[in-house]
Amino acid sequence: MIVMKFGGTSVADAACMREVAALVAEALPQGPLVVLSATARTTDALFEAARKAEEGDLGGAMDLQRTLMLRHRGLAGDLFPDGIPEGLDNALVELGGEMDLLLRGVALLRELSPRSMDAIASIGERLSTRIFAAHIGAPWVDARTVMRTDDRFGAAQPQGPELEALAGRILAPLLGPGRAAVTQGYIGATARGLTTTLGRGGSDFSAALLGAALGAQDIQIWTDVEGVLTCDPRVVPEAQPIAELSFAEAAELAAFGAKVLHPATIQPAVEAGIPVTVRHTRRPHGRFTTITAEVRTGRPITALASRGPVTVLTVASAKMLNQSGFLASLFQVFSRRRISVDLIATAEVSVSLTVDADAPLDALLEDLGEFATVGVARGRTIVAIVGEQLKLTPGVTGRCFGALREINVEMISMGANEINLSFVVKEEDAKPALRALHAALIGVGPEPARRSA
Ligand code: ADP
Ligand code: ASP
Ligand code: MG
């Protein structure tokens, strides 16, 4: 079997859903499990409605609820011009009612816990999949019966063995040559049946987890670009599709902000040795990216990505001089305060690290203040250069610095795996940096230009 995951823009309206249906029909001999996101902008609207309810603006929340339900009803009406079938109609009424109740509950308490947020967010994927499953006449599976997670609401962690057993029991019997089934990305449930989500953009992760659990031949991520490109096309319009990426490259790119893949997507595929392909729903026979363990193309640099805003902390202490154990005590503080660190650069008496812009720093800074002085620089962006051949290609760093000569680089870090070279710049310098690096290191052409250094 294969997994076909379609993102929000791929199922935005009836025309899109018909195109997706045609792709699923074409793949039917391979027994596709169809994993869908909520329709475009729906998850954002659900978050907004929940926040309005929390602020006590029940009227505003209800307006959003009605608009959302009308939009989905309109979509279903377009797909079924002779009338929405009873089963689908009931499902839509039920989901509308559930959303209504949840929003009223939040407004009443003026309290929006991550747990309530997940329950509300789950409506989006449940709506899109109900409509699509009815359209193609395939079984609809509630992902919450399969995607077993822990109870970290908003960023739930999948529970591998349980998930695998449930997928084998519930999904596998529905799939086979000539048979498809439809389920939701992004959402799951705890062992107690509480609804969870895997975090924003998590449908890619769902697809990979389900593909790995079912031993899929291919995990296909269908989206609105021709695969993973050499840079975010919104920043660098001349970015080109990459034919082949290694798992390591894809994981680095996703972790450093290439939104095309959720950062956790690659891990389950790596573990199961299943290739992931990234394809354009509107150009199904166009170019696409294959992500596998081994990359066979010899490019010095594969792609660029950026992530921000981040905050740079510079921790300085004379105690670092010729002392062992300083770094251990430093990282103990981060661990105790549960703040994760991305990039690190060390000097003789100071360490610079980046943390997420919204990481809660007060307690951390207080703890660090006991043995060091800490500088805090907010509003920074990490710009990452990724490529398997980076480590083997002499002169790459020189070319990077050449490209960035007009830009103030505040921190540099070479990933220990040697396929990632990262720079920290001010937020406003990120786009110029990406454009300059792309022009200098990748250039234009059907494949990232090969260069001999
Ligand atoms: P979906 O809704 O299908 O999951 P997303 O919006 O999450 O789609 O991801 C696709 C978007 O990711 C593209 O439209 C593009 O703007 C953005 N993107 C960022 N970096 C890259 C990259 N390196 N390659 C391709 N797309 C990228
Ligand atoms: N619908 C969810 C989101 O918008 C998950 C996804 O699309 O991957 O974040
Ligand atoms: Mg996405």
Side-chain angles (χ1 to χ4, degrees):
M1 56 82 60
I2 60 170
V3 173
M4 303 177 87
K5 176 261 166 175
F6 295 89
T9 49
S10 301
V11 291
D13 54 28
C16 293
M17 281 212 184
R18 284 200 187 92
E19 282 178 80
V20 171
L23 291 173
V24 172
E26 207 175 302
L28 216 50
Q30 293 161 279
L33 172 66
V34 180
V35 177
L36 298 188
S37 287
T39 62
R41 298 180 312 280
T42 294
T43 310
D44 288 340
L46 288 163
F47 270 72
E48 200 190 331
R51 291 213 183 90
K52 279 196 191 301
E54 184 191 20
E55 287 157 15
D57 178 8
L58 184 61
M62 284 302 148
D63 282 347
L64 285 167
Q65 189 266 10
R66 267 189 297 276
T67 309
L68 200 72
M69 290 316 297
L70 278 175
R71 183 148 66 78
H72 283 85
R73 208 157 254 292
L75 203 173
D78 287 345
L79 290 173
F80 294 100
D82 299 330
I84 299 174
E86 199 186 333
L88 175 57
D89 191 60
N90 290 341
L92 293 180
V93 170
E94 215 168 279
L95 284 166
E98 187 177 326
M99 189 175 162
D100 187 286
L101 271 178
L102 286 165
L103 291 173
R104 280 179 202 281
V106 169
L108 207 58
L109 293 168
R110 300 284 298 271
E111 181 188 72
L112 179 61
S113 63
R115 174 165 156 180
S116 310
M117 191 60 248
D118 278 358
I120 293 170
S122 77
I123 304 276
E125 269 68 11
R126 289 156 68 203
L127 281 168
S128 64
T129 49
R130 279 287 187 191
I131 296 171
F132 186 75
H135 175 53
I136 67 167
W140 176 89
V141 178
D142 190 331
R144 295 171 300 175
T145 61
V146 179
M147 184 61 66
R148 177 65 57 78
T149 71
D150 69 5
D151 62 359
R152 264 177 272 182
F153 297 98
Q157 298 296 309
Q159 307 291 289
E162 290 92 333
L163 195 168
E164 201 168 313
L166 291 166
R169 200 165 75 231
I170 295 167
L171 287 170
L174 300 173
L175 300 164
R179 287 186 299 154
V182 178
T183 194
Q184 306 84 52
Y186 179 53
I187 72 170
T190 65
R192 288 169 60 207
L194 299 171
T195 302
T196 56
T197 68
L198 304 176
R200 294 303 307 267
S203 294
D204 302 330
F205 190 24
S206 302
L209 288 164
L210 295 172
L214 292 163
Q217 281 147 344
D218 188 6
I219 297 164
Q220 303 177 352
I221 307 290
W222 292 84
T223 182
D224 61 353
V225 278
E226 281 181 308
V228 180
L229 311 186
T230 50
C231 192
D232 185 340
R234 288 168 302 185
V235 179
V236 177
E238 61 275 19
Q240 293 295 316
I242 301 165
E244 271 185 58
L245 268 180
S246 69
F247 281 135
E249 287 172 328
E252 291 286 326
L253 284 172
F256 282 95
K259 190 190 170 211
V260 64
L261 280 179
H262 180 279
T265 306
I266 295 302
Q267 198 52 40
V270 174
E271 278 163 17
I274 303 170
V276 176
T277 54
V278 183
R279 302 159 189 258
H280 196 322
T281 307
R282 313 300 289 267
R283 287 179 221 148
H285 303 294
R287 290 181 285 175
F288 63 95
T289 300
T290 304
I291 306 168
T292 47
E294 292 293 317
V295 67
R296 285 172 288 271
T297 48
R299 298 166 302 232
I301 286 156
T302 305
L304 311 175
S306 70
R307 208 181 78 211
V310 298
T311 299
V312 177
L313 301 179
T314 302
V315 185
S317 168
K319 285 190 197 141
M320 255 182 101
L321 204 61
N322 296 326
Q323 285 270 330
S324 60
F326 178 81
L327 288 176
S329 37
L330 174 67
F331 287 113
Q332 245 163 25
V333 176
F334 282 85
S335 157
R336 193 164 63 237
R337 295 295 172 190
R338 291 173 155 247
I339 291 179
S340 78
V341 171
D342 284 317
L343 298 186
I344 305 171
T346 58
E348 189 54 42
V349 292
S350 71
V351 185
S352 293
L353 339 99
T354 65
V355 297
D356 262 357
D358 52 10
L361 293 184
D362 290 350
L364 179 96
L365 292 176
E366 204 169 296
D367 290 1
L368 291 175
E370 282 171 19
F371 61 96
T373 53
V374 189
V376 180
R378 296 183 193 273
R380 302 309 198 255
T381 297
I382 301 172
V383 170
I385 300 170
V386 173
E388 284 280 356
Q389 302 287 323
L390 206 56
K391 54 189 164 207
L392 306 173
T393 313
V396 174
T397 36
R399 294 222 308 275
C400 294
F401 287 116
L404 295 175
R405 63 188 164 273
E406 304 292 331
I407 289 163
N408 187 21
V409 173
E410 300 188 346
M411 185 176 155
I412 303 165
S413 167
M414 179 91 183
N417 58 5
E418 296 182 318
I419 70 162
N420 172 349
L421 179 60
S422 298
F423 300 93
V424 175
V425 297
K426 290 206 173 68
E427 242 177 317
E428 60 269 26
D429 288 337
K431 283 183 183 171
L434 285 167
R435 290 184 189 128
L437 287 167
H438 198 275
L441 303 170
I442 296 174
V444 289
E447 261 285 284
R450 280 162 202 256
R451 284 169 185 266
S452 51

